[in-house]
Each structure stands twice: as C-alpha cells, then as structure tokens.
C-alpha cells in the first residue's frame, strides 16, 4: 500500500536522519539547529548531509545539523518560548516577522539573503482524480455547485492561507476588484470545501486515503510529490494559469546563533541553499528555484504560470493577517452563516 | 509483645512518614502540578479587559463550537453510561473465557494516544472506509459530522464509566439481587429498585467524568470532525486557532470557559454525591 510505504519512508528517513546525524555527532566540532515546517522533513534530511560535506570542504570543519519540524507557526512559537534554533526555514513570512518583532531575528532579515531571503518558492496547484472528471483547469471551475474541494483551514495552516489568497487574487483580477463580487466568489469557494483539516498533510490524507473531494489544493511541490508517491495513474496535477507566489523565507536567529557561537555557520547554511548544488536538490523536491541553470534543466517540470505577489495584491503580510485572517476578519465574515 | 501494644503502636505510627510531612509534600505537589498552570492561565486572562474577554468568549463562531462540543459530549456520555454500565456488569458478574483480556481492553483509550484513535476512526468511518462504506447506503454519515465527533468522544471516555462503576458493583454481593428475587420482585424491578440505586452515585460520577473529558478532547476529535465553521468545529479547535494567531490571551479566555464548565460540573457532582451518601445512611454521613 502506497500509504504505508510513504509512512514507512518518512519514519525511515526520520530514523536514518536522527541516527545518521547522531553518529558523526561524536566527532562533529559544532552543531546547528534548523527549525522548519512540517513537510520539509524529507527535504532537509536530503540537504543536510550534502551541506555537511560542503562545509567540510570549504572550512575544513566537521559540523552536524539537527532538524526540528512542525507547523511553521508552532515552530515560531517554540522559538519565542526558548527553542534555541540557529536558523529558521519557514513557509510563512509572518512567522519570521514574529521572531523579528521579538528581537530574535534582524529587522531587515529579508534583505540579508537574495530574493527576499527565499532560496526557493512554490505556488498553489490542484491535484485532481485521474482524467480530471470535473474538467478543473482554473479557480473558476472550483466554485461550481457540484465540486468538492479539500484544502487545510486558513486559520491553522499557512498552506491554507496561500490557497485562500490565490483564489482571492484570481477573483480580484477577474472581477476587476469589485469587492462585493469577490466576496460572493469566495463564499462559494469556501462553501465547496468538504473537510477543513488543520494542516497540509492532514488534507492530503483526507483526499488520498479517505477518498474525499474532487480536488486537493496544496503547494505545487506537495501536490507533485503526492502524485509521485501515490501513483501517477490515479491523479493529475493541474497548475492554474494564475496563482500565488509562495515564498519560503529563511533567516538566521541571530540571538541564539550568536550565543551558540554559530553565526558564521548559520549564515553558511543558508548561503548553501542558494548554491547550484542545493538548488538542484530543491528542484528535485518540486520546488521552484531562481538559479537559471537549474531552472532550465527542470523547465518541463514547472508549467509557466502567472504568480501573484502578496505584496502587490494585498499590500503585504501584515495587512493580509489583519484584514483577512484575524478574528472577525474577512475570512470569518465569509464563513458567517 | 502482646497484641494490644502492637495495635496501639499501629494506631499511632503509620507506614508513611508523619501527617505534617505527608501533607506538606502533597500540598507542594498539588501547587506545582495543578495550581501553578491554572494560575498562569488566569494570569494570561488578566491582559484582557472584561469587555474584551466577553467579546472573545461570546463570538458567534465560538458559541457555535460550544453548542457542538457540549451536545456531542452529552450524547457520548449518555451512550457511555448505558454501555459502560453493561460492560461493568458483565465484567463483574460473569465468568467467561477472555474476561481478563476484555477487562484489560477497557483501558485501551487511556493508553492509546488520542490522535491515533482519531485518525483510525476517521479512516474507518469515511465514505471509503470499511465502516463508512456499510453505513453510506443507509444514509448515515459519521465522519465529518457531529456523529463522528460524538463517536470519537465516546471512544476516549468509556473507561471513566466502566472503571467507576466496576468497583462498586464488585462490592455489591449477588445475595442482594437474590434476596430481591426471592421476595417476589421481577428482574426489572429488582434492577431498578435494588441495584440501580446503589450504583447510581458511581454511574453519575463516571458519566460526569466522561462528559468533562469529552469537552476538552482535541486529538481524537480533530481528525474526524471535518472542522467546518458553525457545523463541526469543536471548542478545542477554537483554542488552537487562537494559539496559531499568537493570541495567548484569547486562547486562555476560551479555555477558561471550558475549565469553568468542567469545574462547576465536578463540584456539583461532588456535592450531590455527598448529599446522596448522607441520605443513604439515614441522614448521618
């Protein structure tokens, strides 16, 4: 059963990651803790050993990278409460901003690394059942009466927030910014949601294992990985012509890195993510990257699509959080009966 | 040593260290483990004005979640009262092969991580799961409806009823029902008038505990609930949502409502039980 193999695979990678990292830990001169989002576990389990080799070559020093994964906001909360992570690799700009507000991360963290401190990016895409029986090509098709959608709750999941914003951004463009009509569109969209799981992996399980819904909306990377894992014959990936740019921000948690005497190592780790070698690994996990050579290599894998920026459509994450997702905000209003 | 001196010594000296020390340790432990977290919860609340507090706990969507949670918990508790009593009865009054195993199984919900229970239930009762497939043609939907929520709550809270009723029933000699029967009572009458009144306090306490446990359940319920606003959102999820927004005070506000309901109910149960025992002993407790 594919589900079991995935689970077994996850456990195996987690085990080998922890064991594999534990072994050289005896000899490692230094240790780095990377706090990251839930579904990046396998990604960083692949990247970390490569980084360790790279650092050894460059600096002639053995290091060890430890992983800590959970919901992005949960991880940020843990760091606020004292988890001594040296770097964060999140899927939400706001989660890093929270750390910046608390003085743990530099104010100008987005300027410290290229591309808004986002070494890779993705967008939201659709996973539909084989042959796309409902003919779903774009966001319009998702508000038909008989379509059942699965995506995680925007209140509890960054992934869900991107989905909501992508739909809104699309409607905003199609309806020429007529807020009344956009809200109507969004109401129908939210009405078609069958199950509101609390996170991305939960939504995947609902769609794939429990066979609920006609379309799963998630990160393009996740959707492609699911298809690869669960059977390319059973599902199709649809990347809508217009979607949202989902950046995956990284930052050095300066206060802790400094205390751990890891400032250079932390910066080196994040720099490494921009190298061609790491970009290739990232593309292998179906994330879009900026490195031009790698982009060309993987061109077939990523259909051309127009990606809306949160800054352009909504004026930035602070505005988005205040207006849309805060208690009593637009999302709450849309879901009011 | 004569037996009288032995008893005298036993009366004055206990196996565990003296009352002063024991009570001191108990109070310290209770303060650290129980009261300290409660105080910090109240501390979070002090950041809110009364109006803010009220606005948070009376928000329409949160109120809807109370209704769903309380109704589902009540149904789960009542169902468990009936079946828990039956299970306790069978475990105490009959001997059969596999009895020890059944007895051990009762504690499974305590031992199993509730999230595992939740995922298992959701998989089983979804329209493609093996129970869901059977129920779907009958028009019964369990997963992602309030029925599923009640089911998950019933799963996690059943031991409370069984394990409270069981010891009381064990203390109840079979002779009591036999006496009732020889005096001419029918089976039903003997159960209603003789056995049930004696089990009543334990049964009500167990059911109350099951109810209170269900109010706060998160792991088991969240996967089967579907989490649709106003329809299948439980109160624990609302707390979780507030935490996601870094709104500790808001989360504490909603938590305080659940806590207050639970405490009131537990207090009422204790008072009622004291009253009941008093009446049972003819006014003297």
């Amino acid at each position: 059963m594919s589900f079991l193999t995935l689970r077994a695979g996850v456990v195996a990678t987690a085990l080998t990651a922890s064991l594999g990292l534990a072994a050289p830990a005896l000899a490692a001169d230094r240790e780095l803790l990377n706090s990251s989002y839930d579904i990046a576990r396998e990604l960083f389990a692949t990247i970390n050993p490569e980084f360790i080799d790279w650092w050894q070559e460059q600096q002639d020093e053995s290091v060890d990278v430890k992983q800590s994964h959970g919901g992005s906001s949960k991880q940020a909360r843990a760091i606020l409460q004292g988890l001594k992570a040296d770097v964060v690799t999140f899927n939400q700009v706001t989660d890093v901003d929270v750390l910046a507000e608390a003085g743990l991360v530099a104010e100008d963290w987005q300027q410290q690394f290229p591309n808004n401190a986002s070494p890779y990016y993705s967008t939201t895409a659709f996973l539909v059942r084989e042959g796309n029986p409902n003919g779903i090509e774009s966001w319009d098709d998702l508000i038909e009466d008989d379509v059942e959608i699965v995506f995680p709750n925007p209140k509890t999941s960054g992934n869900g927030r991107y989905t909501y914003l992508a739909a809104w951004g699309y409607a905003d463009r199609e309806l020429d910014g007529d807020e009344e009509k956009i809200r109507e569109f969004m109401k129908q969209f939210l009405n078609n949601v069958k199950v509101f799981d609390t996170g991305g992996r939960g939504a995947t399980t609902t769609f794939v294992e429990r066979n609920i819904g006609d379309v799963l909306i998630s990160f393009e990377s996740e959707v492609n990985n699911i298809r690869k894992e669960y059977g390319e014959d059973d599902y199709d990936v649809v990347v809508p012509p217009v979607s949202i740019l989902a950046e995956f921000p990284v930052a050095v948690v300066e206060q802790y890195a400094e205390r751990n005497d890891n400032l250079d190592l932390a910066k080196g780790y994040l720099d490494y993510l921009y190298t061609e070698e790491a970009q290739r690994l990232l593309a292998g996990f179906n994330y879009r990257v900026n490195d031009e050579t790698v982009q060309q290599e993987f061109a077939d894998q990523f259909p051309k699509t127009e990606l809306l920026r949160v800054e352009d459509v909504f004026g930035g994450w602070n505005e988005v959080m205040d207006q849309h997702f805060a208690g009593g905000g637009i999302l709450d209003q849309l879901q009011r009966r | 040593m004569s037996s009288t001196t032995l008893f005298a010594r036993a009366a004055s000296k206990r196996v565990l260290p003296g009352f002063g020390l024991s009570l001191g340790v108990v109070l310290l432990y209770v303060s650290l483990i129980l009261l300290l977290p409660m105080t910090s919860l109240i501390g979070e609340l002090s950041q809110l004005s009364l109006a803010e507090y009220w606005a948070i706990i009376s928000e329409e969507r949160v109120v809807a979640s109370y209704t769903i949670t309380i109704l589902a918990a009540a149904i789960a508790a009542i169902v468990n009262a009936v079946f828990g009593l039956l299970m306790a009865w069978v475990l105490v009054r009959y001997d059969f092969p596999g009895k020890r195993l059944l007895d051990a199984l009762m504690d499974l919900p305590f031992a199993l991580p509730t999230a595992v229970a939740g995922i298992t239930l959701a998989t089983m009762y979804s329209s493609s799961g093996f129970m869901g497939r059977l129920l779907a043609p009958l028009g019964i939907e369990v997963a992602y409806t309030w029925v599923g929520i009640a089911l998950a709550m019933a799963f996690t809270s059943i031991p409370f009823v069984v394990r409270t009723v069981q010891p009381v029933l064990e203390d109840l000699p079979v002779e009591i029902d036999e006496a009732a029967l020889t005096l001419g009572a029918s089976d039903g009458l003997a159960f209603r008038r003789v056995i049930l009144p004696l089990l009543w306090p334990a049964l009500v306490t167990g059911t109350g505990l099951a109810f209170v446990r269900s109010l706060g359940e998160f792991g088991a319920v969240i996967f089967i609930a579907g989490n649709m606003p106003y329809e299948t959102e439980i109160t624990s999820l609302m707390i979780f949502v507030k935490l996601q927004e870094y709104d500790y005070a808001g989360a504490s506000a909603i938590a305080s409502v659940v806590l207050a309901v639970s405490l009131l109910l537990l207090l009422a149960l204790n008072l009622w039980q004291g009253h009941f025992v008093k009446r049972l002993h003819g006014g003297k407790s």
Side-chain angles (χ1 to χ4, degrees):
Chain A
M1 220 175 156
S2 55
F3 176 63
L4 287 177
T5 53
L6 175 73
R7 281 299 135 97
V10 170
V11 171
T13 34
L15 277 178
T16 44
S18 52
L19 291 176
L21 291 173
L26 294 170
D29 298 330
R30 280 201 286 170
E31 215 178 82
L32 183 85
L33 178 63
N34 174 16
S35 168
S36 189
Y37 55 98
D38 212 1
I39 56 182
R41 204 180 299 266
E42 297 89 342
L43 172 69
F44 283 105
T46 308
I47 288 181
N48 289 342
E50 302 295 327
F51 166 73
I52 291 167
D53 290 347
W54 182 79
W55 187 260
Q56 179 83 47
E57 261 168 48
Q58 305 249 316
Q59 308 287 329
D60 195 25
E61 182 187 39
S62 67
V63 289
D64 181 16
V65 183
K66 292 221 179 301
Q67 297 174 256
S68 165
H69 294 273
S72 195
S73 302
K74 204 168 87 197
Q75 292 295 83
R77 223 160 47 228
I79 293 172
L80 284 179
Q81 287 161 356
L83 176 74
K84 305 263 181 297
D86 299 294
V87 291
V88 291
T89 47
F90 283 164
N91 60 14
Q92 285 283 292
V93 172
T94 42
D95 292 328
V96 189
D97 280 337
V98 168
L99 299 179
E101 268 165 43
L104 293 166
V105 167
E107 284 285 321
D108 63 340
W109 63 271
Q110 281 201 305
Q111 272 76 59
Q112 294 189 347
F113 293 93
N115 306 320
N116 284 330
S118 164
Y120 53 100
Y121 63 102
S122 192
T123 180
T124 37
F126 311 150
L127 187 70
V128 294
R129 304 203 184 272
E130 189 209 344
N132 197 358
N134 299 71
I136 291 162
E137 297 300 335
S138 183
W139 299 95
D140 271 337
D141 304 316
L142 298 178
I143 60 165
E144 302 289 332
D145 281 342
D146 56 342
V147 174
E148 288 182 348
I149 316 173
V150 175
F151 70 92
N153 195 332
K155 282 275 193 178
T156 55
S157 158
N159 193 333
R161 260 171 237 155
Y162 277 120
T163 297
Y164 169 97
L165 295 176
W168 183 289
Y170 171 83
D172 181 48
R173 143 129 14 150
E174 290 298 300
L175 304 166
D176 292 328
D178 182 337
E179 178 132 357
E180 199 72 10
K181 282 188 189 156
I182 300 175
R183 284 185 185 232
E184 208 44 56
F185 178 94
M186 289 304 289
K187 256 188 191 164
Q188 267 172 292
F189 177 69
L190 291 167
N191 244 335
N192 282 353
V193 176
K194 185 68 180 163
V195 177
F196 254 143
D197 284 291
T198 49
R201 276 284 151 89
T204 302
T205 313
T206 300
F207 184 75
V208 178
E209 291 300 322
R210 309 207 180 113
N211 229 346
I212 305 246
D214 302 308
V215 49
L216 169 76
I217 315 177
S218 191
F219 289 127
E220 185 192 38
S221 49
E222 174 81 348
V223 158
N224 276 306
N225 290 338
I226 299 165
R227 181 164 176 263
K228 205 156 56 182
E229 182 65 44
Y230 287 90
E232 314 207 331
D233 300 335
D234 297 338
Y235 303 101
D236 290 335
V237 170
V238 177
V239 181
V242 178
S243 194
I244 196 108
L245 170 71
E247 291 180 313
F248 290 73
V250 299
V252 177
V253 187
E254 286 179 0
Q255 216 172 76
Y256 292 144
E258 204 169 342
R259 198 180 309 168
N260 299 343
D261 224 0
N262 269 346
L263 223 42
D264 58 327
L265 179 60
K267 195 174 172 310
Y269 184 72
L270 298 183
D271 279 336
Y272 173 73
L273 296 178
Y274 289 91
T275 61
E276 200 182 307
E277 180 183 282
Q279 297 267 301
R280 198 166 283 124
L281 289 175
L282 286 160
F285 276 85
N286 294 304
Y287 288 107
R288 297 184 181 221
V289 294
N290 290 303
D291 188 283
E292 279 173 23
T293 331
V294 181
Q295 247 179 16
Q296 274 164 12
E297 262 173 63
F298 286 84
D300 306 344
Q301 207 172 306
F302 302 108
K304 281 227 174 329
T305 173
E306 192 189 341
L307 298 182
L308 307 169
R309 301 187 75 94
V310 172
E311 286 72 21
D312 300 341
V313 183
F314 302 93
W317 274 103
N318 285 336
E319 283 77 3
V320 166
M321 295 310 282
D322 285 353
Q323 289 173 13
H324 288 267
F325 301 122
I330 297 175
L331 175 61
D332 277 349
Q333 292 163 27
L334 292 173
Q335 291 183 323
R336 199 162 285 161
R337 281 189 300 191
Chain B
M1 200 191 287
S2 74
S3 62
T4 36
T5 51
L6 188 73
F7 279 125
R9 189 179 160 270
S12 67
K13 200 159 165 65
R14 318 250 153 154
V15 178
L16 288 179
F19 174 72
L21 184 59
S22 300
L23 185 71
V25 171
V26 166
L27 287 182
L28 180 71
Y29 189 81
V30 167
S31 312
L32 283 180
I33 301 291
L34 276 178
L35 293 180
L36 201 64
M38 294 292 139
T39 325
S40 110
L41 185 96
I42 310 285
E44 287 285 345
L45 288 184
S46 64
Q47 295 172 15
L48 298 170
S49 73
L50 207 59
E52 283 172 327
Y53 178 72
W54 180 250
I56 292 169
I57 63 168
S58 65
E59 205 227 312
E60 201 186 349
R61 191 161 159 190
V62 178
V63 172
S65 83
Y66 299 147
T67 320
I68 294 152
T69 310
I70 290 176
L71 278 181
I75 289 166
I78 290 168
V79 169
N80 274 347
V82 175
F83 289 98
L85 177 62
L86 188 67
M87 281 187 210
W89 178 266
V90 168
L91 283 174
V92 171
R93 287 296 170 90
Y94 299 104
D95 270 318
F96 53 92
K99 175 175 162 171
R100 295 286 288 274
L101 185 70
L102 190 67
D103 196 36
L105 270 182
M106 282 299 113
D107 286 328
L108 191 66
F110 278 160
L112 197 69
T114 52
V116 174
I119 291 178
T120 311
L121 287 173
T123 311
M124 243 173 67
Y125 284 95
S126 73
S127 48
S128 63
F130 73 93
M131 284 299 282
R133 253 203 309 258
L134 297 177
L135 294 172
L138 308 172
I140 304 173
E141 263 189 83
V142 177
Y144 314 119
T145 64
W146 67 266
V147 186
I149 300 178
L151 182 81
M153 286 174 172
F155 177 90
T156 51
S157 64
I158 182 80
F160 284 97
V161 179
V162 180
R163 292 300 185 221
T164 342
V165 173
Q166 209 176 359
V168 180
L169 203 55
E170 264 161 7
D171 285 345
L172 210 67
V174 195
E175 287 78 10
I176 289 191
D177 2 335
E178 284 171 355
L181 294 182
T182 41
L183 288 172
S186 65
D187 288 353
L189 191 68
F191 178 73
R192 243 182 322 120
R193 300 293 293 273
V194 178
I195 298 170
L196 199 57
L198 292 169
L199 287 183
W200 199 236
L203 186 60
V204 172
T205 308
T207 310
L209 287 176
F211 177 77
V212 167
R213 173 81 173 86
S214 301
L215 285 186
E217 183 54 48
F218 180 75
V221 179
I222 211 71
F223 297 100
I224 203 171
N227 309 320
M228 298 305 294
Y230 300 96
E231 281 165 37
T232 53
E233 271 184 346
I234 54 165
T235 308
S236 308
L237 178 71
M238 305 315 292
I239 299 175
F240 182 64
V241 166
K242 291 280 178 211
L243 287 177
Q244 288 300 105
E245 294 167 3
Y246 305 104
D247 183 1
Y248 299 94
S252 307
I254 304 176
S256 74
V257 174
V258 181
L259 188 68
V261 172
S262 304
L263 279 180
L264 277 177
L265 197 76
L266 289 177
L267 189 69
L269 276 175
N270 263 324
L271 288 177
W272 173 82
Q273 214 179 18
H275 176 75
F276 186 92
V277 170
K278 220 173 182 174
R279 221 182 48 191
L280 205 68
H281 291 272
K284 294 167 286 183
S285 65

